[in-house]
PDB file of all heavy atoms in Angstrom:
ATOM      1  N   GLU A   1      75.104 -52.881  24.234  1.00 94.00           N
ATOM      2  CA  GLU A   1      74.711 -53.591  23.148  1.00 94.00           C
ATOM      3  C   GLU A   1      74.668 -52.871  21.845  1.00 94.00           C
ATOM      4  O   GLU A   1      74.938 -53.347  20.692  1.00 94.00           O
ATOM      5  CB  GLU A   1      73.385 -54.272  23.422  1.00 94.00           C
ATOM      6  CG  GLU A   1      72.751 -55.000  22.241  1.00 94.00           C
ATOM      7  CD  GLU A   1      73.514 -56.300  21.901  1.00 94.00           C
ATOM      8  OE1 GLU A   1      74.210 -56.871  22.800  1.00 94.00           O
ATOM      9  OE2 GLU A   1      73.422 -56.707  20.772  1.00 94.00           O
ATOM     10  N   LEU A   2      74.243 -51.604  21.973  1.00 94.00           N
ATOM     11  CA  LEU A   2      74.206 -50.698  20.852  1.00 94.00           C
ATOM     12  C   LEU A   2      75.547 -50.381  20.222  1.00 94.00           C
ATOM     13  O   LEU A   2      75.703 -50.374  19.059  1.00 94.00           O
ATOM     14  CB  LEU A   2      73.453 -49.359  21.227  1.00 94.00           C
ATOM     15  CG  LEU A   2      71.960 -49.404  21.408  1.00 94.00           C
ATOM     16  CD1 LEU A   2      71.505 -48.058  21.967  1.00 94.00           C
ATOM     17  CD2 LEU A   2      71.317 -49.764  20.099  1.00 94.00           C
ATOM     18  N   LEU A   3      76.589 -50.184  21.101  1.00 92.00           N
ATOM     19  CA  LEU A   3      77.912 -50.080  20.708  1.00 92.00           C
ATOM     20  C   LEU A   3      78.413 -51.164  20.005  1.00 92.00           C
ATOM     21  O   LEU A   3      79.161 -51.130  18.972  1.00 92.00           O
ATOM     22  CB  LEU A   3      78.759 -49.534  21.853  1.00 92.00           C
ATOM     23  CG  LEU A   3      78.496 -48.198  22.470  1.00 92.00           C
ATOM     24  CD1 LEU A   3      79.306 -48.056  23.745  1.00 92.00           C
ATOM     25  CD2 LEU A   3      78.809 -47.092  21.476  1.00 92.00           C
ATOM     26  N   GLU A   4      78.229 -52.390  20.536  1.00 92.00           N
ATOM     27  CA  GLU A   4      78.629 -53.666  19.931  1.00 92.00           C
ATOM     28  C   GLU A   4      78.003 -53.822  18.498  1.00 92.00           C
ATOM     29  O   GLU A   4      78.635 -54.282  17.498  1.00 92.00           O
ATOM     30  CB  GLU A   4      78.314 -54.853  20.852  1.00 92.00           C
ATOM     31  CG  GLU A   4      79.197 -54.887  22.151  1.00 92.00           C
ATOM     32  CD  GLU A   4      78.882 -55.959  23.001  1.00 92.00           C
ATOM     33  OE1 GLU A   4      77.818 -56.650  22.765  1.00 92.00           O
ATOM     34  OE2 GLU A   4      79.668 -56.233  23.949  1.00 92.00           O
ATOM     35  N   GLN A   5      76.704 -53.512  18.496  1.00 94.00           N
ATOM     36  CA  GLN A   5      76.117 -53.730  17.215  1.00 94.00           C
ATOM     37  C   GLN A   5      76.618 -52.675  16.166  1.00 94.00           C
ATOM     38  O   GLN A   5      76.770 -53.102  15.028  1.00 94.00           O
ATOM     39  CB  GLN A   5      74.595 -53.571  17.407  1.00 94.00           C
ATOM     40  CG  GLN A   5      73.804 -54.640  18.086  1.00 94.00           C
ATOM     41  CD  GLN A   5      72.383 -54.397  18.258  1.00 94.00           C
ATOM     42  OE1 GLN A   5      71.778 -53.597  17.485  1.00 94.00           O
ATOM     43  NE2 GLN A   5      71.724 -55.124  19.221  1.00 94.00           N
ATOM     44  N   ARG A   6      76.799 -51.423  16.589  1.00 94.00           N
ATOM     45  CA  ARG A   6      77.394 -50.551  15.628  1.00 94.00           C
ATOM     46  C   ARG A   6      78.827 -50.894  15.236  1.00 94.00           C
ATOM     47  O   ARG A   6      79.124 -50.716  13.956  1.00 94.00           O
ATOM     48  CB  ARG A   6      77.360 -49.058  16.210  1.00 94.00           C
ATOM     49  CG  ARG A   6      77.922 -48.038  15.419  1.00 94.00           C
ATOM     50  CD  ARG A   6      77.129 -47.854  14.151  1.00 94.00           C
ATOM     51  NE  ARG A   6      77.721 -46.897  13.271  1.00 94.00           N
ATOM     52  CZ  ARG A   6      77.302 -46.604  11.983  1.00 94.00           C
ATOM     53  NH1 ARG A   6      76.455 -47.397  11.429  1.00 94.00           N
ATOM     54  NH2 ARG A   6      77.912 -45.668  11.160  1.00 94.00           N
ATOM     55  N   ALA A   7      79.647 -51.389  16.184  1.00 91.00           N
ATOM     56  CA  ALA A   7      80.967 -51.836  15.824  1.00 91.00           C
ATOM     57  C   ALA A   7      80.976 -52.941  14.743  1.00 91.00           C
ATOM     58  O   ALA A   7      81.735 -53.059  13.906  1.00 91.00           O
ATOM     59  CB  ALA A   7      81.704 -52.241  16.969  1.00 91.00           C
ATOM     60  N   ALA A   8      79.922 -53.861  14.984  1.00 92.00           N
ATOM     61  CA  ALA A   8      79.831 -54.956  14.106  1.00 92.00           C
ATOM     62  C   ALA A   8      79.494 -54.569  12.583  1.00 92.00           C
ATOM     63  O   ALA A   8      79.943 -54.980  11.654  1.00 92.00           O
ATOM     64  CB  ALA A   8      78.752 -55.980  14.583  1.00 92.00           C
ATOM     65  N   GLU A   9      78.523 -53.518  12.616  1.00 93.00           N
ATOM     66  CA  GLU A   9      78.180 -52.925  11.274  1.00 93.00           C
ATOM     67  C   GLU A   9      79.356 -52.450  10.552  1.00 93.00           C
ATOM     68  O   GLU A   9      79.380 -52.575   9.385  1.00 93.00           O
ATOM     69  CB  GLU A   9      77.128 -51.798  11.519  1.00 93.00           C
ATOM     70  CG  GLU A   9      75.793 -52.223  11.978  1.00 93.00           C
ATOM     71  CD  GLU A   9      74.875 -51.126  12.195  1.00 93.00           C
ATOM     72  OE1 GLU A   9      75.128 -49.988  11.825  1.00 93.00           O
ATOM     73  OE2 GLU A   9      73.862 -51.286  12.875  1.00 93.00           O
ATOM     74  N   LEU A  10      80.288 -51.775  11.232  1.00 93.00           N
ATOM     75  CA  LEU A  10      81.456 -51.148  10.713  1.00 93.00           C
ATOM     76  C   LEU A  10      82.582 -52.237  10.423  1.00 93.00           C
ATOM     77  O   LEU A  10      83.586 -51.814   9.809  1.00 93.00           O
ATOM     78  CB  LEU A  10      81.887 -50.038  11.529  1.00 93.00           C
ATOM     79  CG  LEU A  10      80.940 -48.844  11.605  1.00 93.00           C
ATOM     80  CD1 LEU A  10      81.505 -47.865  12.697  1.00 93.00           C
ATOM     81  CD2 LEU A  10      80.614 -48.242  10.232  1.00 93.00           C
ATOM     82  N   ASP A  11      82.370 -53.450  11.019  1.00 91.00           N
ATOM     83  CA  ASP A  11      83.379 -54.428  10.897  1.00 91.00           C
ATOM     84  C   ASP A  11      84.692 -54.063  11.402  1.00 91.00           C
ATOM     85  O   ASP A  11      85.749 -54.085  10.638  1.00 91.00           O
ATOM     86  CB  ASP A  11      83.577 -54.959   9.393  1.00 91.00           C
ATOM     87  CG  ASP A  11      84.258 -56.296   9.334  1.00 91.00           C
ATOM     88  OD1 ASP A  11      84.285 -57.080  10.318  1.00 91.00           O
ATOM     89  OD2 ASP A  11      84.837 -56.534   8.192  1.00 91.00           O
ATOM     90  N   LEU A  12      84.758 -53.465  12.544  1.00 87.00           N
ATOM     91  CA  LEU A  12      85.900 -52.897  13.146  1.00 87.00           C
ATOM     92  C   LEU A  12      86.781 -53.967  13.683  1.00 87.00           C
ATOM     93  O   LEU A  12      86.319 -54.863  14.325  1.00 87.00           O
ATOM     94  CB  LEU A  12      85.557 -51.964  14.397  1.00 87.00           C
ATOM     95  CG  LEU A  12      84.862 -50.595  14.019  1.00 87.00           C
ATOM     96  CD1 LEU A  12      84.683 -49.784  15.191  1.00 87.00           C
ATOM     97  CD2 LEU A  12      85.744 -49.787  13.012  1.00 87.00           C
ATOM     98  N   LEU A  13      88.061 -53.755  13.439  1.00 82.00           N
ATOM     99  CA  LEU A  13      89.114 -54.754  14.008  1.00 82.00           C
ATOM    100  C   LEU A  13      90.153 -53.753  14.807  1.00 82.00           C
ATOM    101  O   LEU A  13      90.536 -52.803  14.296  1.00 82.00           O
ATOM    102  CB  LEU A  13      89.886 -55.393  12.821  1.00 82.00           C
ATOM    103  CG  LEU A  13      89.061 -56.424  12.104  1.00 82.00           C
ATOM    104  CD1 LEU A  13      89.909 -57.045  10.885  1.00 82.00           C
ATOM    105  CD2 LEU A  13      88.485 -57.555  12.961  1.00 82.00           C
ATOM    106  N   VAL A  14      90.298 -54.087  16.009  1.00 83.00           N
ATOM    107  CA  VAL A  14      91.246 -53.321  16.934  1.00 83.00           C
ATOM    108  C   VAL A  14      92.156 -54.058  17.640  1.00 83.00           C
ATOM    109  O   VAL A  14      92.075 -55.434  17.790  1.00 83.00           O
ATOM    110  CB  VAL A  14      90.250 -52.584  18.041  1.00 83.00           C
ATOM    111  CG1 VAL A  14      89.248 -51.720  17.310  1.00 83.00           C
ATOM    112  CG2 VAL A  14      89.653 -53.612  18.906  1.00 83.00           C
ATOM    113  N   MET A  15      93.269 -53.473  18.110  1.00 85.00           N
ATOM    114  CA  MET A  15      94.337 -54.058  18.898  1.00 85.00           C
ATOM    115  C   MET A  15      94.244 -53.306  20.216  1.00 85.00           C
ATOM    116  O   MET A  15      94.561 -52.060  20.336  1.00 85.00           O
ATOM    117  CB  MET A  15      95.723 -53.801  18.133  1.00 85.00           C
ATOM    118  CG  MET A  15      95.824 -54.673  16.997  1.00 85.00           C
ATOM    119  SD  MET A  15      95.865 -56.448  17.326  1.00 85.00           S
ATOM    120  CE  MET A  15      97.355 -56.587  18.272  1.00 85.00           C
ATOM    121  N   PRO A  16      93.964 -54.011  21.296  1.00 86.00           N
ATOM    122  CA  PRO A  16      93.866 -53.442  22.594  1.00 86.00           C
ATOM    123  C   PRO A  16      95.297 -52.844  23.042  1.00 86.00           C
ATOM    124  O   PRO A  16      96.285 -53.344  22.720  1.00 86.00           O
ATOM    125  CB  PRO A  16      93.550 -54.573  23.470  1.00 86.00           C
ATOM    126  CG  PRO A  16      92.744 -55.512  22.672  1.00 86.00           C
ATOM    127  CD  PRO A  16      93.620 -55.422  21.391  1.00 86.00           C
ATOM    128  N   GLU A  17      95.183 -51.670  23.658  1.00 87.00           N
ATOM    129  CA  GLU A  17      96.287 -50.992  24.208  1.00 87.00           C
ATOM    130  C   GLU A  17      96.751 -51.699  25.533  1.00 87.00           C
ATOM    131  O   GLU A  17      95.978 -52.534  26.038  1.00 87.00           O
ATOM    132  CB  GLU A  17      96.202 -49.610  24.339  1.00 87.00           C
ATOM    133  CG  GLU A  17      96.007 -48.921  22.988  1.00 87.00           C
ATOM    134  CD  GLU A  17      95.804 -47.365  23.175  1.00 87.00           C
ATOM    135  OE1 GLU A  17      95.635 -47.042  24.257  1.00 87.00           O
ATOM    136  OE2 GLU A  17      95.829 -46.674  22.121  1.00 87.00           O
ATOM    137  N   ALA A  18      97.809 -51.233  26.202  1.00 84.00           N
ATOM    138  CA  ALA A  18      98.132 -51.842  27.619  1.00 84.00           C
ATOM    139  C   ALA A  18      97.027 -51.536  28.615  1.00 84.00           C
ATOM    140  O   ALA A  18      96.398 -50.517  28.560  1.00 84.00           O
ATOM    141  CB  ALA A  18      99.409 -51.081  27.974  1.00 84.00           C
ATOM    142  N   ASP A  19      96.800 -52.653  29.312  1.00 85.00           N
ATOM    143  CA  ASP A  19      95.795 -52.598  30.432  1.00 85.00           C
ATOM    144  C   ASP A  19      94.352 -52.243  29.830  1.00 85.00           C
ATOM    145  O   ASP A  19      93.548 -51.675  30.498  1.00 85.00           O
ATOM    146  CB  ASP A  19      96.189 -51.605  31.507  1.00 85.00           C
ATOM    147  CG  ASP A  19      97.487 -51.897  32.169  1.00 85.00           C
ATOM    148  OD1 ASP A  19      97.618 -53.070  32.311  1.00 85.00           O
ATOM    149  OD2 ASP A  19      98.098 -50.949  32.516  1.00 85.00           O
ATOM    150  N   GLU A  20      94.055 -52.703  28.657  1.00 87.00           N
ATOM    151  CA  GLU A  20      92.739 -52.373  28.011  1.00 87.00           C
ATOM    152  C   GLU A  20      92.206 -53.703  27.478  1.00 87.00           C
ATOM    153  O   GLU A  20      92.870 -54.468  26.746  1.00 87.00           O
ATOM    154  CB  GLU A  20      92.958 -51.480  26.818  1.00 87.00           C
ATOM    155  CG  GLU A  20      91.652 -50.965  26.172  1.00 87.00           C
ATOM    156  CD  GLU A  20      91.994 -50.006  25.025  1.00 87.00           C
ATOM    157  OE1 GLU A  20      92.893 -50.207  24.130  1.00 87.00           O
ATOM    158  OE2 GLU A  20      91.277 -48.915  24.894  1.00 87.00           O
ATOM    159  N   SER A  21      90.888 -53.947  27.862  1.00 87.00           N
ATOM    160  CA  SER A  21      90.299 -55.203  27.251  1.00 87.00           C
ATOM    161  C   SER A  21      89.878 -54.940  25.853  1.00 87.00           C
ATOM    162  O   SER A  21      89.832 -53.857  25.354  1.00 87.00           O
ATOM    163  CB  SER A  21      88.987 -55.450  28.225  1.00 87.00           C
ATOM    164  OG  SER A  21      88.017 -54.450  27.924  1.00 87.00           O
ATOM    165  N   GLU A  22      89.540 -56.086  25.210  1.00 84.00           N
ATOM    166  CA  GLU A  22      89.229 -56.030  23.832  1.00 84.00           C
ATOM    167  C   GLU A  22      87.957 -55.192  23.618  1.00 84.00           C
ATOM    168  O   GLU A  22      87.780 -54.480  22.648  1.00 84.00           O
ATOM    169  CB  GLU A  22      88.966 -57.448  23.302  1.00 84.00           C
ATOM    170  CG  GLU A  22      88.687 -57.500  21.758  1.00 84.00           C
ATOM    171  CD  GLU A  22      88.633 -58.914  21.281  1.00 84.00           C
ATOM    172  OE1 GLU A  22      89.192 -59.722  21.939  1.00 84.00           O
ATOM    173  OE2 GLU A  22      88.138 -59.145  20.081  1.00 84.00           O
ATOM    174  N   GLU A  23      86.984 -55.322  24.593  1.00 84.00           N
ATOM    175  CA  GLU A  23      85.722 -54.608  24.525  1.00 84.00           C
ATOM    176  C   GLU A  23      86.013 -53.031  24.688  1.00 84.00           C
ATOM    177  O   GLU A  23      85.502 -52.252  23.925  1.00 84.00           O
ATOM    178  CB  GLU A  23      84.764 -55.086  25.650  1.00 84.00           C
ATOM    179  CG  GLU A  23      83.475 -54.307  25.567  1.00 84.00           C
ATOM    180  CD  GLU A  23      82.497 -54.781  26.790  1.00 84.00           C
ATOM    181  OE1 GLU A  23      82.818 -54.351  27.921  1.00 84.00           O
ATOM    182  OE2 GLU A  23      81.570 -55.520  26.503  1.00 84.00           O
ATOM    183  N   GLU A  24      86.938 -52.722  25.640  1.00 88.00           N
ATOM    184  CA  GLU A  24      87.252 -51.346  25.854  1.00 88.00           C
ATOM    185  C   GLU A  24      87.921 -50.756  24.547  1.00 88.00           C
ATOM    186  O   GLU A  24      87.623 -49.585  24.221  1.00 88.00           O
ATOM    187  CB  GLU A  24      88.143 -51.210  27.095  1.00 88.00           C
ATOM    188  CG  GLU A  24      87.461 -51.438  28.445  1.00 88.00           C
ATOM    189  CD  GLU A  24      88.458 -51.556  29.544  1.00 88.00           C
ATOM    190  OE1 GLU A  24      89.621 -51.780  29.267  1.00 88.00           O
ATOM    191  OE2 GLU A  24      87.971 -51.327  30.673  1.00 88.00           O
ATOM    192  N   ALA A  25      88.750 -51.590  24.016  1.00 89.00           N
ATOM    193  CA  ALA A  25      89.479 -51.113  22.863  1.00 89.00           C
ATOM    194  C   ALA A  25      88.449 -50.863  21.580  1.00 89.00           C
ATOM    195  O   ALA A  25      88.511 -49.879  20.851  1.00 89.00           O
ATOM    196  CB  ALA A  25      90.491 -52.152  22.342  1.00 89.00           C
ATOM    197  N   LEU A  26      87.481 -51.767  21.504  1.00 87.00           N
ATOM    198  CA  LEU A  26      86.498 -51.667  20.479  1.00 87.00           C
ATOM    199  C   LEU A  26      85.741 -50.404  20.625  1.00 87.00           C
ATOM    200  O   LEU A  26      85.525 -49.670  19.636  1.00 87.00           O
ATOM    201  CB  LEU A  26      85.604 -52.950  20.532  1.00 87.00           C
ATOM    202  CG  LEU A  26      84.608 -53.102  19.276  1.00 87.00           C
ATOM    203  CD1 LEU A  26      85.327 -53.358  18.017  1.00 87.00           C
ATOM    204  CD2 LEU A  26      83.639 -54.265  19.602  1.00 87.00           C
ATOM    205  N   PHE A  27      85.195 -50.153  21.843  1.00 88.00           N
ATOM    206  CA  PHE A  27      84.463 -48.923  22.070  1.00 88.00           C
ATOM    207  C   PHE A  27      85.286 -47.678  21.844  1.00 88.00           C
ATOM    208  O   PHE A  27      84.781 -46.726  21.405  1.00 88.00           O
ATOM    209  CB  PHE A  27      83.874 -48.945  23.460  1.00 88.00           C
ATOM    210  CG  PHE A  27      82.865 -50.030  23.750  1.00 88.00           C
ATOM    211  CD1 PHE A  27      82.493 -50.387  25.097  1.00 88.00           C
ATOM    212  CD2 PHE A  27      82.407 -50.779  22.701  1.00 88.00           C
ATOM    213  CE1 PHE A  27      81.509 -51.402  25.292  1.00 88.00           C
ATOM    214  CE2 PHE A  27      81.414 -51.720  22.840  1.00 88.00           C
ATOM    215  CZ  PHE A  27      81.014 -52.128  24.137  1.00 88.00           C
TER     216      PHE A  27
END
């Protein structure tokens, strides 16, 4: 939850790599 909140603060947009979930890519 802390990582998700921090990512939201930074307004991060990511593209998952192969075999990577969107959450894993965000972290």
Side-chain angles (χ1 to χ4, degrees):
E1 179 63 30
L2 287 171
L3 291 170
E4 289 177 351
Q5 290 181 14
R6 181 59 182 170
E9 289 177 15
L10 298 173
D11 197 23
L12 291 183
L13 296 176
V14 299
M15 291 293 294
E17 297 179 349
D19 300 324
E20 186 180 46
S21 69
E22 186 171 343
E23 180 182 73
E24 290 170 339
L26 190 66
F27 294 166

